[in-house]
Amino acid sequence: MTTPMPVDFPDFAKGAVNLASGRLGAIGLFTTDEFFAPVSRMLSDDPAVFIADKYDDHGKWMDGWESRRKRVPGHDHAVIRLAMPGRIAGFDVDTSYFTGNYPPHCSIEAAFVEDGDPVEETVWTEILPKSPLGPSAHHYLQPAEADRATVFTHLRLHIYPDGGIARLRVYGSAYFDWSKVGPDEEVDLAYIFGGAHSLAWSDAHYGHPDRILAPGRGVNMGDGWETARRRGPGHDWTIIKLGHAGEIRRVEVDTAHFKGNFPDRCALFGAYLPDHSGPFTPEEIAASEQWQPILDEAKLQMDHIHSFSGEAVKAIGPVTHVRYCMYPDGGTSRLRLFGTKA
């Protein structure tokens, strides 16, 4: 259930959304070959595993996408629909546990398709040139700066000539056309598809805080943000950048599936930082403890949707960032911050 962060996690991935998250809706549309393992496994949100004695009808079970040994000219590729339109900051092409069967090289093309999926006439742009890969390793790779500013909806991952990729992570930010939202229209400002994402957190032992921004209700206890048991003073928190600056009028905290591990209380603070982009420094995180309260500490219960509105939600004006706190620790399935854009 845990998603440990590699020690050499690059800056471009910090505070970014995985646009190729299978949990958020990314899917493999096509592959030239997935004989040994389907491309859907490559989009799993969980770290790859190796099970030594696990085999299936096709041979050794591998946790990723794996094609057959190619005996003819050419190479394999897969087409992926991202979970949401977005700008791509960088990739993690992960070949974990693929030691004698990793592809020596990969490249990535991208396309923007406004409606539906790519067709034969779709124009693809190479955003990652042919790059070397090694055995059982994370490969952090970035597109050129101009490509990082472009919105894409689909990827075409090429592997040369064949082999297996354990995971493809596509780090970036969601794109949403906020001009289509009216000034009086109530929206969830903390919706991940609207561009909201977590920038910092105290602990993500059992789940990344971005999970509380996902669509729908959590499907199980793993589909939420859960921290380790706190054995000292303090409390757990996460800082979230909203999809758009706005005024929060209603707060919804869902503890679905968290029964013996829901937080005793929660609170919400906000700040208007329109010029701030990227991760927070330790000093900025410390300063967030002084942000204006939106929701005072409120008692929570297990497996329940808690709705706060009216006088319980303080009108502090537009905010761009919020600090959601759990006292002292535990798990939250979803956080909804309903309001209007500023």
Side-chain angles (χ1 to χ4, degrees), residues 134-146:
S136 197
H138 294 269
H139 303 82
Y140 296 113
L141 306 164
Q142 276 195 284
E145 188 171 351

Side-chain angles (χ1 to χ4, degrees), residues 95 101-106 130-135 139 159-163 165:
T95 58
N101 49 353
Y102 67 95
H105 295 85
C106 78
K130 195 172 181 179
S131 305
L133 300 176
H139 303 82
I159 56 174
Y160 302 92
D162 56 32
I165 301 290

